[in-house]
Structure formats: C-alpha cells, structure tokens
Amino acid sequence: MRHTDVAREEIAELLGDLFAGFESRDWNRLAQLVGEKVHLDHTSLGAPAAEELTGAELVARWRRGLHERKKNFHLLSHPRIKVDGGHAEVAVNCYACNILDAGLGGGVWECWGRHDIAWHHTEKGWKATSFVFTKAHTRGDDRIHTHTLD
C-alpha cells in the first residue's frame, strides 16, 4: 500500500474520532486531534469573521457550545481526502442536529453543509489545523445552535 493510502486511512479514522468526540463530549480526545494553532471559519453560520485560535481555545469553545443540556448529532457523508506529503485536505458533507433540554426551553436546530478540514502531520501524528464550514441549509431556531449555559 502506498504511503498516501495509509495516510488517507489514518485521516478517515481521525475524522470519525473528531465527530464522535463531539457527541461523546470527549474533550481530551478532541484536544489531541487539533493543532496548536487552528483556523476557524463559520461565517456561513453567522460568525462575524474567520478566526485564528489556539487548539485549547477551540476545544473550550466546543465544550461551551456542546454543553451537557444540549444533545447533538452529526452525520457525515462522502468524505473526499487528498494527501500531499504531510498535508491533507478533507471535504465532507455533514448534517448536524442540536436539541436543547426542555428545562432550557427546548427546541431543535438542524444544519446541512460541507466541512473543509485541513490536517498537518506532526511528530505527534495528524492534527486538524483548519475548519471551514459552508452552510447549505438550516432549519429551526438558530438560538439553539449558539446556546451556552453562561
């Protein structure tokens, strides 16, 4: 098997780990999967601008937004993984659903779109270094998606 085929398999596995980490709220695993510096662009979801964050800041943001009183689910399809040496680009379609606890007002938010995730190979393995989400469609209450407990 060629080196790029092995890298593609590793990244496919890590992509699954990343989204499983959101649902299981495995913040330690998520921290292992992201780089020290991370580019985040969620402008298609209403963020004012793309940002440069530390990996720790990004995981803290995920932890705050995917709190224990908000159920979340992600379904990925048709991942396209391109590897060029120690750099990889993943484009994957995604469906996401957030459901807020009834004690916080309840409600559902759904989103369809595409994640473009860049990965770089480091001495500690592959790390995700860029997350760009392009929304195709949302349905429901946007406040559920942005809800935090603070």
Side-chain angles (χ1 to χ4, degrees):
M1 189 179 300
R2 295 183 330 205
H3 172 69
T4 55
D5 292 337
V6 171
R8 288 182 73 221
E9 287 180 16
E10 289 175 357
I11 292 166
E13 187 74 23
L14 294 172
L15 182 67
D17 285 357
L18 181 71
F19 284 88
F22 294 141
E23 275 128 44
S24 66
R25 295 176 175 84
D26 188 346
W27 311 119
N28 292 329
R29 179 65 177 137
L30 289 168
Q32 295 170 357
L33 294 172
V34 298
E36 290 181 26
K37 300 286 183 188
V38 181
H39 174 80
L40 178 68
D41 184 346
H42 282 184
T43 54
S44 77
L45 290 172
E51 304 174 78
E52 304 302 320
L53 304 167
T54 67
E57 289 170 330
L58 180 59
V59 172
R61 185 174 294 180
W62 288 337
R63 185 177 197 149
R64 190 169 160 244
L66 297 173
H67 57 78
E68 64 276 357
R69 296 187 65 191
K70 183 193 298 184
K71 292 181 177 105
N72 75 93
F73 175 79
H74 295 84
L75 181 63
L76 306 179
S77 68
H78 309 297
R80 281 100 44 222
I81 302 169
K82 295 180 182 175
V83 177
D84 184 9
H87 178 78
E89 295 287 336
V90 175
V92 62
N93 297 334
C94 181
Y95 164 80
C97 179
N98 293 163
I99 302 171
L100 198 58
D101 183 291
L104 297 174
V108 176
W109 175 83
E110 297 174 285
C111 181
W112 294 259
R114 186 187 75 237
H115 281 281
D116 291 294
I117 304 170
W119 296 78
H120 285 88
H121 196 272
T122 71
E123 59 190 34
K124 295 181 180 180
W126 289 97
K127 303 293 180 185
T129 57
S130 177
F131 295 86
V132 177
F133 184 77
T134 304
K135 172 183 79 172
H137 178 72
T138 61
R139 160 170 85 179
D141 187 346
D142 285 339
R143 293 175 297 174
I144 293 165
H145 169 64
T146 58
H147 185 275
T148 63
L149 291 176
D150 30 86

